Each structure stands twice: as C-alpha cells, then as structure tokens.
Amino acid sequence: MNSALVDASPARPCATPPALPSRLPNVGTTIFTTMSALAQKHGAVNLGQGFPDFAGDPALLEHVAAAMRSGHNQYPPMAGVPALRQAVAQKIARLYGRQYDPDTEVTITAGATQGILTAVLCAVRPGDEVIVLEPCYDSYAPAIELAGGTVVRVALTPRHFRPDFAAIAVAFTPRTRAIIVNTPHNPGAVVWTRAEMQALADLLAPTEVLLIADEVYEHMVFDGQPHVSAACLPELARRAFVISSFGKTFHVTGWKVGHVTAPAALMAEFRKVHQFNVFTVHTPTQHGLAQYLANPEPYLTLPAFYQRKRDHFRAGLQRTRLKAMPSEGTYFQSVDYSAVSALGEADFCRWLTETVGVAAIPLSAFYEDGREQGLVRLCFAKRDETLDEGLARLARL
Ligand code: PMP
Ligand code: GLN
C-alpha cells in the first residue's frame, strides 16, 4: 500500500453543510418503510407494505443467473434489451389488441416508479396541472412537484374508490397537462370497468391532456373481470404512457424492473429524460425476463393464484370483527375496523402492530389531507402460514 495516500489521523464526520432549501419540503419517510420497520421491531406479521413473502419462480431466477454467467453484463441499449421489448410488445398485442413498435414505443425502466417519474418529468412543465385521483400511490405528487407542476387532487368515491367523472370533469382547466390513473387500484383494490375506461376516454377526447396509466397490478384481477388497459381504447392509447412492473407480476418487487409503452412521439420525449435519468436498466435481468416471458402461463395463471389467496384471507377475516371491503384486484384488502376501535387510522395501525402483532397501512396515508374513513389496508401476497398467523392474531381483537 502507498502510505502517502493514507491519512493517519482519526476519521471525522463532515463539517456543517451549506443550507439546502428542500425541493420536497413535505416529504418524510414513506408509510410503507415506517410500518415495515415497526413490524420488525415488534415481531409483527407484516401485512402492511405490499410485497410477497414467498420466492419468485426458480425458472426465472435461473434465466437471470444464466444470462449473467453467459456474459450479459455490460450496458444494454438505452431503451432496453431488444428481446425484452419485443416480448413486452407481443404480450400487449395479444392481451390488449394494441401493437406497439418495440423499437420506438417500448422502454424498459428501473421499476414502475422510475417510469412514472420519467413520464411526469418529460410531460410536465412549471405551471402545468396534473390531476391525481386520491387515495393514490405516494410517488405521484412528489414527481409532479419535482417537475414544477401543480398537483390537482380529485377524490375517488369515499370508501368505494370508484371514479367520480363529474368531479374529475370539474378539475380540468386550460392548464391541465396530464391525469394519472391507477387500475387495478392501490390501495382501493378496485378494477376500472370497460364502461369507466370509456367514460375516461369520452372525458379526455375533446382535450390534448396526456394520460399516465399506472397498471402495475394488471395481472391481479379477480372473479373473471378483465383488466381494461389504457392500451385497449384508441382514444386513451394515443395519449397514454402505460406503465407496468415485472416486480409485481413475477413476485420479485426488489428487482425494480418495469416497462413503459407510449406512441412513438411521446416515447421519444420519454427517452430523452430516461437517457439521463438511469440511461439503462440491469442487463442480465432483462435477458432473463425476455426468456421467461416466452411462456405466458405464469402471468395468465396469476389471477387464479391471487384470487385463491384473497378468498382464503377473506374467509379468515369473517372470523374477526374486522369488516372486509371489496377486493376486485391487486393484492390488497381494506378492512373497516370501527367495531374494534375508535382510534384514527394511523394510530390504529401503530396499536395493531405493537399490541396485536399485525402491521397494516392506514388509508389516510394515501390522501394529502390525511382524511379518516376508518379503513386500513392489509396485503395478502403472503404464504398461507403467514396469512393464518396474521388472521389468528386479528381474531383476538
Ligand atoms: N404504482 C403502484 C400503484 C404501486 O403500488 C407500486 C408498488 N409499490 C408502484 C407503482 C411501483 O412499482 P415498482 O416497485 O415497480 O417501482
Ligand atoms: N407499493 C407498495 C405498497 O403499496 C410499497 C412500495 C414502497 O415501499 N414504496 O405497499
């Protein structure tokens, strides 16, 4: 070792940094992180943060490992590995009847979160308004604020979380640049019907407003209902960035790989931001996913897989004093706890985690104004043993 490079004095922390006015003054640690940490601290069954506690398909893991071993370890093309973009375009064409050009209309992203941020950054300018439908995923508003846009919040119907098109219509102004729609919906577990997607199309038709369609739970839809993607309707597809996540579909949320599809002119702008945002996404994972997608069975059987878990979980909830709200899609189930406690949602979740040993997420965390509806969200993407242990604890309430 070259001793001239080694500072023999003890390491010290940095001195006071320059003042940095926050770009996101209202942002703290997300509720998902907070509740997972609390669950860990108290040994609670974690039905809070949405992630499976079971492994992904060994075949998928093997495809990725094989890609790594066979040397797919350098930068891929900026937009994503061509085989994966082709597989995504084929899947969308088969399922939703829309042909996206893999060369110009499909981009592989570092999870849906980056897809959403990049779509917002390329679309939204200071002064633009973006409509979000609350309750909504926590990354939407910060993304809009980072772009200098104004968040315009419209509530989905109380406790049922269906779109209220009269209320949405009122929110449009000449400054509206985009609307973000999430179906299947986290946390409401609602799946927009074809009629609702058509109503959205009718509302948008006279405008040039863009649509950011967050469809990360596209393969978790129950009771035979279809997922109606924005890609299905011409009036929506022509203005939409459609976003999905392999993490959700293949039980590998930590991989953070997703995809965005959009008409070429929109995708060209998306890629300008993507190029200097992440440039590219983990190469061997993309090769592995491309191979794995050749078999449609894993995603075609996902609705049945999660429907069984949902039904098992809901049957167990009937033995508790919690009231299960409908769950049409996603891996979430909201419950009304008013028979059990008069606490506010966040306090109830804290109490439930610390005292009963089950972590949940307050619905109020998905609203800017933190409104209370006596509802908390539970995640059933868990092994049956985990669900049963959680249910046994909840039955003591
Ligand atoms: N949108 C919604 C509605 C989500 O629930 C999630 C998952 N937390 C995401 C986007 C982000 O997905 P990813 O983990 O692929 O970034
Ligand atoms: N989407 C996941 C949820 O809703 C959490 C993702 C995260 O931790 N940011 O629980």
Side-chain angles (χ1 to χ4, degrees), residues 30-33 36 48-51 113 137-138 186-187 216-217 248 256 331-332 361 366 377 379:
T30 79
I31 187 70
F32 311 114
T33 307
S36 281
Q49 190 176 25
F51 65 90
T113 308
Y137 188 57
D138 63 350
N186 174 17
V216 298
Y217 299 102
K248 311 282 176 198
K256 300 297 290 185
Y331 45 46
F332 299 118
I361 301 286
F366 297 80
R377 191 196 78 180
C379 173

Side-chain angles (χ1 to χ4, degrees), residues 231-370:
C232 297
L233 289 81
E235 190 58 55
L236 296 181
R238 81 174 186 87
R239 67 182 74 232
F241 295 95
V242 184
I243 297 167
S244 191
S245 170
F246 294 114
K248 311 282 176 198
T249 304
F250 295 140
H251 316 305
V252 286
T253 58
W255 285 11
K256 300 297 290 185
V257 182
H259 56 83
V260 178
T261 46
L266 298 184
M267 187 50 81
E269 291 306 314
F270 181 97
R271 287 182 181 175
K272 286 181 191 172
V273 178
H274 177 81
Q275 174 158 263
F276 297 111
N277 181 341
V278 290
F279 180 47
T280 56
V281 175
H282 198 251
T283 306
T285 305
Q286 292 195 53
H287 283 278
L289 283 165
Q291 288 227 319
Y292 190 65
L293 277 172
N295 176 10
E297 199 185 312
Y299 58 82
L300 292 181
T301 54
L302 203 63
F305 173 83
Y306 272 122
Q307 184 169 324
R308 195 199 62 75
K309 286 208 178 283
R310 180 202 62 169
D311 292 346
H312 179 79
F313 191 52
R314 286 174 68 88
L317 283 172
Q318 283 192 340
R319 297 188 291 275
T320 74
R321 292 197 296 148
L322 300 170
K323 180 170 169 279
M325 304 298 285
S327 173
E328 302 174 343
T330 74
Y331 45 46
F332 299 118
Q333 168 69 62
S334 288
V335 293
D336 178 325
Y337 61 87
S338 54
V340 175
S341 168
L343 289 172
E345 293 174 6
D347 288 341
F348 179 71
C349 287
R350 193 164 280 279
W351 175 81
L352 194 68
T353 309
E354 292 174 351
T355 313
V356 182
V358 177
I361 301 286
L363 267 278
S364 54
F366 297 80
Y367 290 91
E368 159 81 355
D369 65 6

Side-chain angles (χ1 to χ4, degrees), residues 47-387:
L47 305 184
Q49 190 176 25
F51 65 90
D53 73 344
F54 45 86
D57 187 344
L60 172 59
L61 308 192
E62 187 43 47
H63 283 316
V64 174
M68 215 178 277
R69 281 194 299 268
S70 67
H72 290 300
N73 297 306
Q74 307 307 333
Y75 295 128
M78 182 269 282
V81 164
L84 182 55
R85 283 185 275 133
Q86 278 155 20
V88 167
Q90 256 174 28
K91 171 172 174 286
I92 293 172
R94 262 193 243 120
L95 294 179
Y96 307 132
R98 180 79 45 213
Q99 187 63 59
Y100 287 97
D101 181 338
D103 289 335
T104 56
E105 300 187 319
V106 181
T107 298
I108 307 303
T109 58
T113 308
Q114 185 240 314
I116 293 162
L117 177 63
T118 303
V120 169
L121 287 177
C122 81
V124 177
R125 263 151 271 243
D128 286 350
E129 294 176 356
V130 182
I131 297 172
V132 302
L133 307 179
E134 284 192 326
C136 68
Y137 188 57
D138 63 350
S139 83
Y140 300 166
I144 296 162
E145 284 161 11
L146 283 176
T150 302
V151 185
V152 176
R153 300 164 196 276
V154 178
L156 295 163
T157 57
R159 295 170 62 83
H160 293 283
F161 312 116
R162 302 233 71 103
D164 173 348
F165 288 102
I168 299 171
V170 173
F172 279 80
T173 77
R175 301 182 127 186
T176 307
R177 173 72 62 191
I179 178 169
I180 305 182
V181 166
N182 171 218
T183 179
H185 181 252
N186 174 17
V190 161
V191 177
W192 286 33
T193 62
R194 184 168 288 279
E196 286 167 331
M197 293 301 277
Q198 186 58 53
L200 178 67
D202 294 344
L203 192 65
L204 291 174
T207 76
E208 290 300 293
V209 169
L210 298 166
L211 171 63
I212 297 173
D214 178 348
E215 301 184 4
V216 298
Y217 299 102
E218 63 178 318
H219 296 297
M220 297 169 205
V221 178
F222 312 133
D223 305 317
Q225 198 182 331
H227 165 63
V228 184
S229 171
C232 297
L233 289 81
E235 190 58 55
L236 296 181
R238 81 174 186 87
R239 67 182 74 232
F241 295 95
V242 184
I243 297 167
S244 191
S245 170
F246 294 114
K248 311 282 176 198
T249 304
F250 295 140
H251 316 305
V252 286
T253 58
W255 285 11
K256 300 297 290 185
V257 182
H259 56 83
V260 178
T261 46
L266 298 184
M267 187 50 81
E269 291 306 314
F270 181 97
R271 287 182 181 175
K272 286 181 191 172
V273 178
H274 177 81
Q275 174 158 263
F276 297 111
N277 181 341
V278 290
F279 180 47
T280 56
V281 175
H282 198 251
T283 306
T285 305
Q286 292 195 53
H287 283 278
L289 283 165
Q291 288 227 319
Y292 190 65
L293 277 172
N295 176 10
E297 199 185 312
Y299 58 82
L300 292 181
T301 54
L302 203 63
F305 173 83
Y306 272 122
Q307 184 169 324
R308 195 199 62 75
K309 286 208 178 283
R310 180 202 62 169
D311 292 346
H312 179 79
F313 191 52
R314 286 174 68 88
L317 283 172
Q318 283 192 340
R319 297 188 291 275
T320 74
R321 292 197 296 148
L322 300 170
K323 180 170 169 279
M325 304 298 285
S327 173
E328 302 174 343
T330 74
Y331 45 46
F332 299 118
Q333 168 69 62
S334 288
V335 293
D336 178 325
Y337 61 87
S338 54
V340 175
S341 168
L343 289 172
E345 293 174 6
D347 288 341
F348 179 71
C349 287
R350 193 164 280 279
W351 175 81
L352 194 68
T353 309
E354 292 174 351
T355 313
V356 182
V358 177
I361 301 286
L363 267 278
S364 54
F366 297 80
Y367 290 91
E368 159 81 355
D369 65 6
R371 74 187 59 179
E372 298 281 344
Q373 300 174 92
L375 296 176
V376 297
R377 191 196 78 180
L378 300 167
C379 173
F380 55 80
K382 307 293 170 190
R383 288 174 287 137
D384 286 0
E385 306 89 272
T386 310
L387 294 176

